[in-house]
Each structure stands twice: as structure tokens, then as C-alpha cells.
Amino acid sequence: MARGLPSMASLARLCQKLNRLKPLEDSTMETSLRRCLSTLDLTLLGVGGMVGSGLYVLTGAVAKDVAGPAVLLSFGVAAVASLLAALCYAEFGARVPRTGSAYLFTYVSMGELWAFLIGWNVLLEYIIGGAAVARAWSGYLDSMFSHSVRNFTETHVGSWQVPLLGHYPDFLAAGIILLASAFVSCGARVSSWLNHTFSAISLLVILFIVILGFILAQPHNWSAEEGGFAPFGFSGVMAGTASCFYAFVGFDVIAASSEEAQNPRRSVPLAIAISLAIAAGAYILVSTVLTLMVPWHSLDPDSALADAFYRRGYRWAGFIVAAGSICAMNTVLLSLLFSLPRIVYAMAADGLFFQVFARVHPRTQVPVAGTLAFGLLTAFLALLLDLESLVQFLSLGTLLAYTFVATSIIVLRFQKSSPPSSPGPVSPGPLTKQHSSFSDHLQLVGTTHTSLPEPGELQPALRPYLGFLDGYSPGAVVTWALGVMLASAITIGCVLVFGNSTLHLPHWGYILLLLLTSIVFLLSLLILGAHQQQYREDLFQIPMVPLIPALSILLNICLMLKLSYLTWVRFSIWLLMGLAVYFSYGIRHSKENQQELPAPNSTHYVVFPRGSLEETVQAVQPPSQAPAQDPSHTE
């Protein structure tokens, strides 16, 4: 058949052929997820993933030990940094409506190894996040009953004083994770319904906290007599920001669920923006009223909000807050446990992780094996580990994932669009039913042929002024400029964080080094901006690229460097474990390395992807033959 748009008669014949192949398609239904989530579902999923995790877990601890009343500034800076990252997630979620979140985005732009490391990192983020929230959940519930659960456990089971471990085994935290995992395994609609209910209650309780908290506010608690507004200075605000990133990890749940969105082009960016705005407003307002109600240095880090109302004589309000915190943390658990198996599913479908996790239940269309296995692992960590040691670990993983996603946006913007007939990092080849990996069937929504100049080439208007850059191959200058930008961002972060404390630079040396690295950083951005980008009017795209992703990268690096060296050591051990898994299993079973040409007698048919007018011919092998694909066959 001639290339180009087929005639109506040929389309009819191909559709008839596709109908004859329906039994094969039905037999593989257990490998796909169901598109059933609306914009409201995704928004409340994101709100549930954010509001609660930091509100009841972090606010009191950061205010008392790290930032003081300036914790509201820490939340504000963390919200800005998260907004920069959220814009990157929103563009990718609309452009690549597949499950996998940061793992998939990195796979598209940087390749398999980096994608595996980010996916491995995101797994840790969700596992530890679920364990930390479960520990906080049990702590709030226990406080409602005068710590009778903790006293009973320490009396009849025992306690210990071991670094990284809790003072006692938290069976209540492990139990709630197992229960939430069971609900999540029932399907996306059940999880969404529960999330709607708990999110509505949580938002009403937050509104109650803000109104009553401002009524009980005492401005004297921010006075110099109580230590002032920022008793730990600017360094305390930035250290608090690094920890407060834990509060905003929930918005990537929306991107991880984009394959189940009914209209990912519109709903994913909209849901990310709305949920982040709601979460940022809630955190800033609640941290403000908390530090105005009671002095910051007297806060109870384990249950700060409920304890603040108790101490002001409003015990009934404390019970409402405790009940609201339980509902809020239930939404966080549901969001994390909803997304965790989907990341595992994406990695397993590409052959980089054990194939049992790529199986989807035929009725609920949920990766049940991943849900139950990682639910058990999260419950085990919640049973044993200490809450405070979990939070910093989680912040590092989140910041690293944000950095890679922002870098991926820059890479993708200056990358040439591959036509549908030629697989590549932007538009991989068609899907074969036996070969259902993401690298096989991923199609960027709305990818079209671009007119000259191609992305990655110098813009024609700037050639008279930057002609010396035009002599290099397309994309080479962009690659070097991106590398210089990343190196200068790391240097700026090291100077800002360690220049006065660890490096002991003289003042003139500090200013000079900061000025030089900032000039290099800006020059690299100007060189990147001088090259042609991909522009799509029918998709959400971040404005001011590469500036906004570069600022996100710089801010994320500065916050990562503020975390303790022990956090980096633990994270390095986790990455080494991930490399061992990749080189012992993933690299040998990767679907990317098992691509083969199709046999001459393969049958072809046409599939119309959701939300796209592009027709892609797909090859179906007889069961006796190895799966294969030929990217040159298009109709």
C-alpha cells in the first residue's frame, strides 16, 4: 500500500482485518490499564498525595528543630521549586500519556540505564513515603487514646534503642498499609472513590484549622522574646525547604496515572496545577496559624496541630484535627500505594524488572502482584524504621527525580521529531502484541513533522551573529551547552552551600567564584535558547524553556546539597543495589535489546491510538515465532 493517508476502501478492509484479530487482542487485555480517571479524579489524587503527608508529619518537626515560624517560608520556597518541577511533569504527562512518571520521561529522553536508575529511585520514594506516612498515622491515632497502643506494645513486645529503627515495632502502621493495599488492588475506581471521600473530609478539617487558628492567634509568639520569626536564619529556612519537599511529592502521582486518564492532554496539566496550588496554600496557612497559636519551641513534633489545640484548651478541636489528620494520611497512603505498582509495572513491561510485576489482573486491570508485594515491603519498613530518618531519605530521592525530569524536558525540546515509521527516543516503534514494552509502543501525543529548521539547529535569525556555532553538527552544541549548564549549576550549589562553612573561602573568593559560575550558567542558557525547539500548539508546553527547567535544576541541586551526608551515603547504597539488579537482570531481559525484524509471513493491521489521528501498522507474529517489529511498515 502506498505511504500516506489510506483511502476509505483500504481503511474498511483493514478494519475488517482488525476485527478478525479481536480474539488475540482480548487474550492480551490483562497487559493494559483502563482509562477511567477524570480531571477531578486526578486532581483529588494529587491533593490526597500532598495534603497530609507534610501537614501532619513535617510542620511541627521542621518548625521546632529547623526553621522556627519561618517554616511557612520553607513551604513557600519548596512550593516554588515544586511548581518548576510540576510544569515539567505536566508537559510530559500530556505529551506521553503512559504510566511510569519520571521513569518513562527519562526513558524517552535519556535512555534505558538512566531511566532504570530514576525508576529505582522513584520506587524508594514511594516505599519510604508510604512507610513514613503510616508511622505518622499511627502516632496521631495513638495520641487520641493517650498513647495506649504504644504503652501496650512496649510492655508486651518490648522496645529498643537502635539508630534508624523506631523505639518499638509499629504493628498499627503496618496494618493500615496492608489494608490500603487490599483496597488499591480492587481497581482504580474503588481507589478513586475512597480518595474522594477522605480528601473531602481532609480539606474541610484544614479549613476548620485555619479559621479557628487565626481566631486563637497570638502575634507575640513571633516576637524576639520567643526567638523571633526566623531563629535559625536563612540557612534554617533552606534546610527546612529541603525537608519540606516531602510535602509536595504527591503531584507526580498524577503523571504516574496518566495512562488511566480519560483525556490526558487536558486533564494532566490542569490537575497538577490545581492540586499543587491547593496544597501550597494549605501548608502555608496551616504553618502560619500553628506557630501563632503556640510558641514554636514548645511544639510537639509528633502531633503538633492536635497538641496546639489541646494546650489552648480546645480539646474537642484537637480530636477533630486528629480525625482529619487520619483521613488526610489515608489519602496519602492510597495515592502512594496506587502509584507504586504502576512504576514497577512500567519497568517490568520494558523487561528491566521481574516480569511477574508486568501482569495485570483481567477483571480489575490492576497490577495486583506489584501492589501486594510492595505493599508488604512498605508495611515491613513501617513496622521497624524511625519516622525522622525516613523523611530526609525521601526528600533526596524526590529532588533527584525532579532534576532528571527537568533535564529531560530540555533534551526533548531540542531533539528532532522522529516520524512514526522510525523508532527512536521521541517516537519509538509500533507495538507488537507479544512485545508489549513501553519502548515498543510509546507514541508522543501529537508528534508531527516539523519544517526547517529542525530542532537542535541554530535559529536562522541568529546565524549572522552566531555563525561560528553553525559549523557543528545539529544537536552537538546543544549537548555541550546542556553539559556545561549542569556542571555550572552543581558548582553554584556547592559555592552557595559550602562556600562559607566547609570550604572557608575568603569573601572576595566567594563572590568571584559565584560570579564566574553564574556567568557560565547564563551563557549556556543563552546558547541553548539560540537553537530551534519543538513547538506544539495543541499540547501543553512549559513557557521560557530552557530557563524554567534550568532554574528547577539549580534549585533542586542546592536543596539536595543541604541534606546530611548520611542521607547521601544511604542513598548511594540504594543506587548500588539498583545497579546490581540492572546488570544482573535488567540488561539481559530488556525488551529494547530483544528487538528483531519481523518474519516475511507476519500479518499487519491498523490501530488508531487514543487521542491521535495517526495510523500505525502493527505486526502480529504467530505464536510459534519470536516477537518482532518492522518500523518501515506504515500505512
Side-chain angles (χ1 to χ4, degrees):
M1 183 178 291
R3 295 183 182 275
L5 192 66
S7 65
M8 295 301 296
S10 62
L11 276 179
R13 289 194 299 272
L14 288 168
C15 289
Q16 290 174 359
K17 187 180 294 185
L18 179 58
N19 288 333
R20 290 197 296 270
L21 290 172
K22 187 172 180 59
L24 176 60
E25 194 171 32
D26 289 342
S27 66
T28 58
M29 185 61 70
E30 68 274 9
T31 63
S32 62
L33 300 176
R34 178 183 300 163
R35 290 196 179 275
C36 59
L37 300 179
S38 65
T39 302
L40 178 62
D41 295 331
L42 292 175
T43 301
L44 291 179
L45 194 64
V47 170
M50 287 183 283
V51 175
S53 57
L55 197 67
Y56 301 101
V57 178
L58 280 181
T59 308
V62 175
K64 182 175 182 178
D65 301 325
V66 181
V71 63
L72 67 94
L73 297 180
S74 296
F75 276 120
V77 177
V80 172
S82 296
L83 175 62
L84 298 177
L87 291 172
C88 301
Y89 274 83
E91 177 170 336
F92 262 123
R95 190 175 177 86
V96 191
R98 298 289 181 182
T99 191
S101 187
Y103 159 76
L104 180 61
F105 305 157
T106 308
Y107 200 119
V108 171
S109 58
M110 296 187 181
E112 184 179 274
L113 175 59
W114 291 110
F116 177 85
L117 291 178
I118 289 300
W120 186 253
N121 167 57
V122 172
L123 290 184
L124 179 68
E125 173 188 326
Y126 286 144
I127 292 171
I128 291 185
V133 171
R135 294 284 299 199
W137 180 93
S138 69
Y140 265 86
L141 184 63
D142 196 21
S143 68
M144 295 177 65
F145 298 98
S146 302
H147 301 287
S148 58
V149 176
R150 182 183 65 185
N151 296 333
F152 179 85
T153 304
E154 290 180 347
T155 302
H156 295 83
V157 179
S159 61
W160 51 70
Q161 298 292 332
V162 181
L164 299 182
L165 297 184
H167 297 304
Y168 63 94
D170 198 335
F171 294 102
L172 195 58
I176 187 59
I177 289 177
L178 295 178
L179 183 61
S181 299
F183 278 113
V184 169
S185 65
C186 294
R189 296 308 306 170
V190 175
S191 304
S192 178
W193 179 81
L194 286 173
N195 184 70
H196 286 11
T197 303
F198 288 129
S199 294
I201 297 174
S202 175
L203 291 176
L204 288 175
V205 172
I206 290 173
L207 185 62
F208 167 79
I209 292 172
V210 171
I211 294 174
L212 185 57
F214 273 118
I215 294 174
L216 300 177
Q218 294 178 337
H220 175 74
N221 291 325
W222 284 8
S223 66
E225 297 178 8
E226 298 290 350
F229 176 74
F232 299 97
F234 176 76
S235 178
V237 173
M238 295 306 295
T241 301
S243 294
C244 287
F245 251 88
Y246 169 70
F248 295 98
V249 300
F251 73 79
D252 62 346
V253 171
I254 299 173
S257 308
S258 59
E259 188 169 347
E260 293 164 278
Q262 294 172 352
N263 183 9
R265 282 192 186 187
R266 177 181 180 275
S267 58
V268 170
L270 193 59
I272 287 177
I274 295 174
S275 61
L276 187 61
I278 293 174
Y283 284 130
I284 293 173
L285 290 174
V286 170
S287 59
T288 300
V289 300
L290 175 65
T291 53
L292 284 173
M293 285 173 60
V294 295
W296 60 270
H297 50 78
S298 63
L299 292 171
D300 180 0
D302 295 327
S303 54
L305 286 168
D307 182 70
F309 284 104
Y310 290 156
R311 292 174 56 188
R312 294 300 303 273
Y314 289 80
R315 191 169 184 82
W316 59 271
F319 276 104
I320 293 177
V321 171
S325 70
I326 292 173
C327 290
M329 285 183 278
N330 281 337
T331 65
V332 177
L333 278 178
L334 288 171
S335 298
L336 293 175
L337 293 175
F338 181 86
S339 300
L340 176 58
R342 283 153 177 81
I343 304 296
V344 180
Y345 164 82
M347 298 174 68
D350 260 337
L352 301 181
F353 211 58
F354 306 109
Q355 289 300 296
V356 66
F357 298 122
R359 298 174 184 172
V360 177
H361 194 277
R363 183 175 61 83
T364 62
Q365 292 183 285
V366 168
V368 177
T371 302
L372 298 181
F374 283 88
L376 286 171
L377 177 59
T378 307
F380 178 75
L381 295 181
L383 179 70
L384 299 178
L385 294 188
D386 177 52
L387 175 61
E388 293 182 7
S389 63
L390 291 171
V391 170
Q392 276 206 352
F393 208 177
L394 177 63
S395 295
L396 177 57
T398 305
L399 289 165
L400 190 63
Y402 289 175
T403 302
F404 268 84
V405 172
T407 306
S408 298
I409 283 289
I410 299 177
V411 171
L412 192 62
R413 280 294 187 91
F414 293 100
Q415 209 169 46
K416 289 186 178 181
S417 300
S418 300
S421 59
S422 60
V426 175
S427 183
L431 166 67
T432 62
K433 282 299 177 183
Q434 291 93 341
H435 221 234
S436 55
S437 71
F438 285 96
S439 57
D440 292 332
H441 71 74
L442 177 64
Q443 288 187 327
L444 300 185
V445 176
T447 300
T448 60
H449 300 283
T450 57
S451 59
L452 292 176
E454 291 284 348
E457 295 181 354
L458 191 65
Q459 295 185 25
L462 298 176
R463 283 175 183 169
Y465 310 100
L466 300 174
F468 64 95
L469 296 177
D470 207 21
Y472 297 92
S473 60
V477 177
V478 171
T479 302
W480 279 101
L482 180 59
V484 171
M485 187 269 290
L486 292 173
S488 59
I490 294 173
T491 306
I492 292 173
C494 291
V495 172
L496 289 174
V497 176
F498 304 118
N500 290 327
S501 57
T502 305
L503 300 178
H504 302 292
L505 294 175
H507 186 68
W508 65 267
Y510 176 87
I511 297 297
L512 179 62
L513 187 57
L514 186 61
L515 181 62
L516 290 176
T517 52
S518 299
I519 291 174
V520 173
F521 182 79
L522 292 175
L523 284 176
S524 64
L525 289 182
L526 290 175
I527 293 175
L528 286 172
H531 289 77
Q532 187 68 29
Q533 303 180 29
Q534 293 185 37
Y535 289 108
R536 292 290 304 175
E537 295 182 355
D538 57 339
L539 290 174
F540 173 80
Q541 287 191 311
I542 308 172
M544 295 186 292
V545 172
L547 178 60
I548 289 180
L551 291 178
S552 177
I553 292 170
L554 178 60
L555 187 53
N556 293 339
I557 289 174
C558 291
L559 295 177
M560 282 191 286
L561 293 174
K562 290 293 294 183
L563 297 173
S564 67
Y565 76 94
L566 286 177
T567 303
W568 281 95
V569 171
R570 298 167 195 157
F571 185 75
S572 300
I573 295 173
W574 176 255
L575 284 185
L576 290 175
M577 293 169 59
L579 288 173
V581 172
Y582 175 76
F583 286 107
S584 63
Y585 180 88
I587 198 171
R588 292 188 293 109
H589 295 82
S590 167
K591 298 292 179 65
E592 186 72 22
N593 296 329
Q594 296 175 5
Q595 305 278 346
E596 295 180 4
L597 293 175
N601 59 346
S602 61
T603 305
H604 296 81
Y605 64 95
V606 173
V607 168
F608 298 88
R610 296 181 181 89
S612 173
L613 295 179
E614 298 174 356
E615 295 91 53
T616 304
V617 175
Q618 306 181 352
V620 177
Q621 295 293 341
S624 59
Q625 297 182 7
Q629 73 177 48
D630 186 353
S632 65
H633 287 78
T634 53
E635 300 285 274

